[in-house]
Amino acid sequence: MNRPDQHVGAVIHQANFIAGNALEVPTLKVLAQDGSIYPNAALPEIDKDLALKIYDTMVFTRVLDERMVASQRQGRISFYMTCKGEEASIIGSAAALTDHDMIMAQYREHAALRYRGFTTANFMNQMFSNAKDLGKGRQMPIHYGSNELNYMTISSPLATQIPQATGYAYGQRLQGNQALTLCYFGEGAASEGDFHAGLNMAAVLKAPAIFYCRNNGYAISTSTDEQYAGDGIAPRGVGYGIETIRVDGNDCLAVLLATQEARKYALAHNKPVLIEAMSYRLGAHSTSDDPSGYRSKDEEELWAKIDGVQRFKLWLEQQGWWTEEQESERYQAYREEVLRELKVAEKIEPPSLQELVTDVYAEVPAHLSQQLEQLETHIAKYPSAYPSASKGAK
Amino acid sequence: MAEMNLLHAINNALDLAMADNERVLCFGEDVGHFGGVFRSTSGLQDKYGKDRCFNTPLTEQGIIGFANGLAAQGAVPIAEIQFADYIFPAFDQIVNETAKFRYRSGNEFDVGSLVIRTPYGGGIAGGLYHSQSPEAYFTGTPGIKVVVPRNPYQAKGLLMASIADDNPVLFFEPKRLYRAAIGEVPEEAYQIELGKAEVVSPGTDITLLGWGAQMEIIEKAAAMAAEQGISCEVIDLRTLAPWDVDTVAESVTKTGRLLISHEAPLTGGFAGEISATISDKCFLHLESPISRVCGLDTPYPLIQEKEYVADHLKIFEAIKASINF
């Protein structure tokens, strides 16, 4: 036990403070912007199949984001958030996991869910809140979740999933089935108290969790200058006694390497790891946000030039695994698929009115049955005033 | 049967639950080797190991966030918040996460195995932050059950039912009675059904309703009223959410009068909800206004605790006022 008077550091006799920026955290880079590998760079475990699965997910995510922003502008869905600029970071990290690992995300990580196998129809059903939505139409668009795919349902309150990931990983350790939890969050969310609670508890209680911070420069309009005074999120991990690494989030191979190594370490030692992925939120925060009010076009263009999707594509081409022809075919195919599934999903009826009161508890308690009954009687009296009556929900 | 105080009964329930299912875990501040500041987890770490009964860092939002994750993973977490007064840092995790986990995911995920235990209530010179009764902050939150036992037998049976229940349960323990309340408790496992009030003693003139540590004060007032020839029907609500409207309404339909007493402040207290519901259900049977005898609308004081609390004399006076209305 480390007693306060028995710590391991040197003793000093002058009041010399440790500088707040004393810990210099280096950034892992593997892939250069021209698609070449840095000399002496370590490579992740990757083969053609994995590389193409990653890239396929990147293309799908770009297409989905583009189409759904347009759909929100047309008023077909109420809300949307893109992953634009962070695809390499999200997909590269998800690709380092096994399907048994739990993913607990914030909201800008639907590319990881796609990587796990969430179908285009699954995405559409959630966004259109229809009867086939796994979440029964209760949450805003982009709040996905899937038990089958080990992807915890998203909730809006920021950082709440961080201590939950610690608990989930602790449970996985006790079960001893060599699975862990990867927890995504933005650099803004890392200012919440739950970040502190979750990381400290994971370190102390030996939970095999990977905490994956997407540092994309902005929390809505708030730049990192207004979010923290230290050197980003990574040094905090060291402060909690957590193995920590910073990676170039636009470098898919660096992200994959860091996450693969983190996974091995976490499971071998029953300890958490913190990864801080540096990237840039190329899109608006959400469809309710206009970034021109707080950042310049020049800045956006600068980051668009070091886009992680483009970088990974150049590498694929240099491997001889991808061509321009395949590129345009794949984009075309996904554009058609997304549009087709969108049109199907928006015609599916909403969940039945009864679903309003199910799942509040495991069983529907008497008072909720009564409230539903009263509501049904009321709606029957004014059917034209309520969409559920006109859309044929029973 | 064995003679146990309320703490022993809780410790016994935790012990039986941990013996029965290796996925049951007990944790919180000072819960581990020390056995809790009230000793309710005494001996559990020695018996079941450090992985299953352990101290957490001092962070209430962390404890409940961690517990939510554990429950979602399939474990059976029994999280302790050292005093109910310190549950507020975890309010977000309980209200936005615990309570909404199943609903928001369309039942893809749930934290139904979770139990949050916390000592509540006054009468121990605890001042502002070791005396509060925050149940009403939670009874208005759909998705969680709220349970309060009044004696050792109740504590064990209700806690075991809470652990077995497929919904998250907030379990408030009356700390004034931890050592003061002693009674016969079966040594084997048993459960008391959640969501059911108990008619503690039948009567015909007025219904007296309460929960937890307030029950013994209500019973004292009922005994004083009996000496004056007033027959009180005393009901322990036991589960506050979802609460047993039928048992209370049936009693009030019979007696025509209702008095509700709780330690928490009057305004926004759970008696207000009960009062509104019963006036709705029993309007034509009520012979006097529903009476609420509660804490004052002030923070919980230290030196003026005796004046502040809803004691038996205040309840006795309210009974007479109701009868003489």
Side-chain angles (χ1 to χ4, degrees):
Chain A
M1 191 176 82
N2 290 322
R3 280 171 43 190
D5 59 342
Q6 287 180 342
H7 60 87
V8 291
V11 172
I12 59 172
H13 300 292
Q14 308 293 324
N16 293 333
F17 297 98
I18 296 169
N21 61 358
L23 182 63
E24 288 182 15
V25 181
T27 303
L28 176 70
K29 286 174 180 277
V30 174
L31 190 55
Q33 193 55 40
D34 63 2
S36 66
I37 303 294
Y38 283 100
N40 303 324
L43 282 172
E45 292 163 30
I46 187 165
D47 58 14
K48 186 179 173 184
D49 284 351
L50 179 62
L52 291 184
K53 187 178 176 190
I54 289 172
Y55 192 66
D56 185 73
T57 311
M58 287 178 171
V59 173
F60 173 82
T61 308
R62 281 268 150 113
V63 170
L64 182 76
D65 284 352
E66 175 191 291
R67 285 284 166 196
M68 298 323 292
V69 167
S71 297
Q72 194 280 334
R73 295 286 178 248
Q74 294 165 352
R76 292 163 100 168
I77 57 170
S78 57
F79 181 75
Y80 195 74
M81 295 177 117
T82 77
C83 186
K84 201 175 174 192
E86 297 182 68
E87 297 93 339
S89 173
I90 300 307
I91 302 165
S93 49
L97 306 178
T98 74
D99 291 345
H100 301 295
D101 295 325
M102 171 54 70
I103 293 178
M104 295 173 80
Q106 180 167 303
Y107 49 57
R108 206 180 294 289
E109 302 91 351
H110 45 278
L113 182 56
R114 175 65 177 192
Y115 186 86
R116 281 277 167 103
F118 211 56
T119 66
T120 308
N122 288 151
F123 280 106
M124 295 302 154
N125 292 335
Q126 197 281 334
M127 283 184 275
F128 283 98
S129 311
N130 67 31
K132 290 190 172 173
D133 168 25
L134 293 175
K136 304 186 186 175
R138 290 168 182 153
Q139 291 212 82
M140 286 173 77
I142 66 101
H143 291 58
Y144 311 108
S146 167
N147 191 313
E148 187 193 344
L149 299 177
N150 277 325
Y151 193 94
M152 183 62 70
T153 302
I154 303 297
S155 72
S156 304
L158 287 179
T160 48
Q161 81 279 16
I162 300 175
Q164 291 171 11
T166 301
Y168 204 98
Y170 188 90
Q172 287 171 313
R173 165 161 81 77
L174 291 202
Q175 282 212 301
N177 50 10
Q178 289 294 297
L180 52 65
T181 298
L182 184 140
C183 178
Y184 290 112
F185 52 93
E187 90 287 348
S191 295
E192 293 281 4
D194 273 343
F195 167 88
H196 163 67
L199 269 73
N200 189 41
M201 288 182 79
V204 172
L205 296 171
K206 304 197 188 320
I210 299 174
F211 296 103
Y212 191 97
C213 179
R214 301 179 291 99
N215 191 337
N216 64 14
Y218 288 91
I220 308 185
S221 75
T222 304
S223 70
T224 53
D225 296 350
E226 298 163 304
Q227 198 66 247
Y228 50 72
D231 175 26
I233 308 305
R236 301 184 198 168
V238 178
Y240 290 118
I242 292 178
E243 311 296 311
T244 298
I245 191 167
R246 173 176 285 156
V247 299
D248 178 348
N250 288 8
D251 176 345
C252 193
L253 293 181
V255 167
L256 183 64
L257 174 64
T259 316
Q260 284 174 344
E261 294 299 319
R263 186 174 188 280
K264 284 180 209 160
Y265 180 88
L267 288 176
H269 298 89
N270 287 323
K271 282 184 178 178
V273 176
L274 172 63
I275 300 174
E276 183 182 23
M278 313 305 286
S279 61
Y280 188 79
R281 195 195 74 213
L282 273 182
H285 164 68
S286 73
T287 49
S288 309
D289 171 53
D290 173 13
S292 69
Y294 52 83
R295 69 187 193 189
S296 69
K297 274 271 168 248
D298 289 353
E299 181 187 300
E300 289 175 13
E301 280 165 18
L302 197 74
W303 280 90
K305 279 183 197 150
I306 55 165
D307 176 41
V309 174
Q310 174 68 9
R311 201 188 297 182
F312 192 68
K313 183 188 145 200
L314 289 173
W315 181 72
L316 286 183
E317 286 174 351
Q318 287 170 25
Q319 307 304 300
W321 293 346
W322 197 247
T323 62
E324 272 307 320
E325 198 188 357
Q326 286 172 299
E327 174 88 357
S328 55
E329 274 175 19
R330 187 58 53 86
Y331 267 95
Q332 187 56 28
Y334 273 142
R335 284 188 179 121
E336 284 167 13
E337 181 181 317
V338 165
L339 200 60
R340 189 172 62 241
E341 294 294 345
L342 188 154
K343 284 177 177 167
V344 171
E346 68 184 344
K347 290 196 182 74
I348 296 173
E349 65 183 35
S352 73
L353 190 65
Q354 284 89 329
E355 298 289 11
L356 185 55
V357 301
T358 60
D359 304 328
V360 178
Y361 295 91
E363 67 291 342
V364 179
H367 71 282
L368 278 183
S369 296
Q370 285 166 18
Q371 289 174 19
L372 177 67
E373 218 168 283
Q374 286 172 356
L375 179 62
E376 284 171 335
T377 307
H378 174 78
I379 290 173
K381 210 168 174 184
Y382 300 95
S384 62
Y386 301 94
S388 58
S390 59
K391 281 186 186 156
K394 292 165 216 65
Chain B
M1 286 288 203
E3 195 167 81
M4 295 187 196
N5 67 25
L6 205 139
L7 272 174
H8 291 148
I10 286 165
N11 184 260
N12 182 234
L14 297 175
D15 189 359
L16 289 171
M18 292 182 87
D20 179 56
N21 179 359
E22 63 169 21
R23 301 235 62 199
V24 175
L25 309 175
C26 292
F27 52 89
E29 294 158 13
D30 307 297
V31 163
H33 176 68
F34 182 60
V37 294
F38 291 104
R39 317 313 307 277
S40 50
T41 53
S42 191
L44 298 178
Q45 187 178 85
D46 286 345
K47 202 163 169 184
Y48 300 104
K50 244 186 137 173
D51 278 347
R52 293 186 57 200
C53 178
F54 50 93
N55 288 342
T56 65
L58 204 165
T59 168
E60 286 78 14
Q61 67 192 90
I63 292 167
I64 303 304
F66 179 88
N68 280 332
L70 259 177
Q73 196 272 334
V76 184
I78 305 174
E80 179 178 307
I81 297 294
Q82 200 160 76
F83 286 87
D85 311 65
Y86 305 126
I87 205 166
F88 300 111
F91 200 69
D92 182 47
Q93 280 286 349
I94 296 171
V95 171
N96 276 330
E97 299 292 318
T98 307
K100 298 171 175 55
F101 224 92
R102 189 192 301 271
Y103 189 76
R104 75 182 182 208
S105 72
N107 205 25
E108 287 284 295
F109 298 97
D110 70 82
V111 295
S113 61
L114 172 61
V115 175
I116 302 168
R117 296 177 37 243
T118 187
Y120 87 97
I124 60 152
L128 279 73
Y129 306 110
H130 299 83
S131 307
Q132 292 181 63
S133 299
E135 65 271 11
Y137 291 104
F138 298 97
T139 48
T141 301
I144 46 176
K145 295 191 176 181
V146 178
V147 176
V148 194
R150 75 170 188 279
N151 63 31
Y153 175 81
Q154 302 270 323
K156 180 174 172 183
L158 289 169
L159 181 54
M160 298 212 76
S162 299
I163 296 166
D165 196 90
D166 200 13
N167 295 285
V169 176
L170 198 42
F171 194 82
F172 287 103
E173 299 169 2
K175 63 179 170 293
R176 182 171 64 78
L177 302 183
Y178 266 157
R179 294 172 202 285
I182 296 166
E184 289 293 315
V185 177
E187 285 168 286
E188 68 279 8
Y190 65 96
Q191 294 181 18
I192 296 173
E193 189 182 351
L194 303 187
K196 296 281 177 209
E198 182 193 6
V199 179
V200 177
S201 53
T204 52
D205 297 332
I206 184 169
T207 301
L208 308 184
L209 179 66
W211 49 87
Q214 199 63 9
M215 291 313 301
E216 83 167 351
I217 294 165
I218 291 170
E219 287 187 82
K220 202 168 169 185
M224 289 176 73
E227 283 172 22
Q228 310 256 320
I230 303 168
S231 165
C232 300
E233 178 145 303
V234 178
I235 300 180
D236 177 3
L237 197 53
R238 299 196 296 197
T239 300
L240 275 64
W243 66 286
D244 185 355
V245 177
D246 291 347
T247 296
V248 179
E250 194 184 315
S251 171
V252 175
T253 300
K254 180 180 74 179
T255 63
R257 292 181 169 86
L258 175 63
L259 180 153
I260 311 153
S261 179
H262 57 61
E263 293 185 43
L266 175 74
T267 302
F270 196 56
E273 178 59 36
I274 296 168
S275 176
T277 303
I278 294 302
S279 74
D280 185 44
K281 299 269 179 200
C282 307
F283 186 72
L284 295 175
H285 299 277
L286 285 168
E287 291 172 40
S288 64
I290 295 171
S291 176
R292 292 178 290 162
V293 185
C294 307
L296 271 59
D297 288 335
T298 68
Y300 200 106
L302 182 69
I303 197 65
Q304 285 163 331
E305 181 171 45
K306 286 216 158 37
E307 289 78 9
Y308 169 85
V309 297
D311 67 3
H312 62 287
L313 295 175
K314 292 178 186 174
I315 297 170
F316 175 60
E317 285 302 312
I319 292 169
K320 287 193 292 180
S322 183
I323 296 292
N324 296 327
F325 181 79

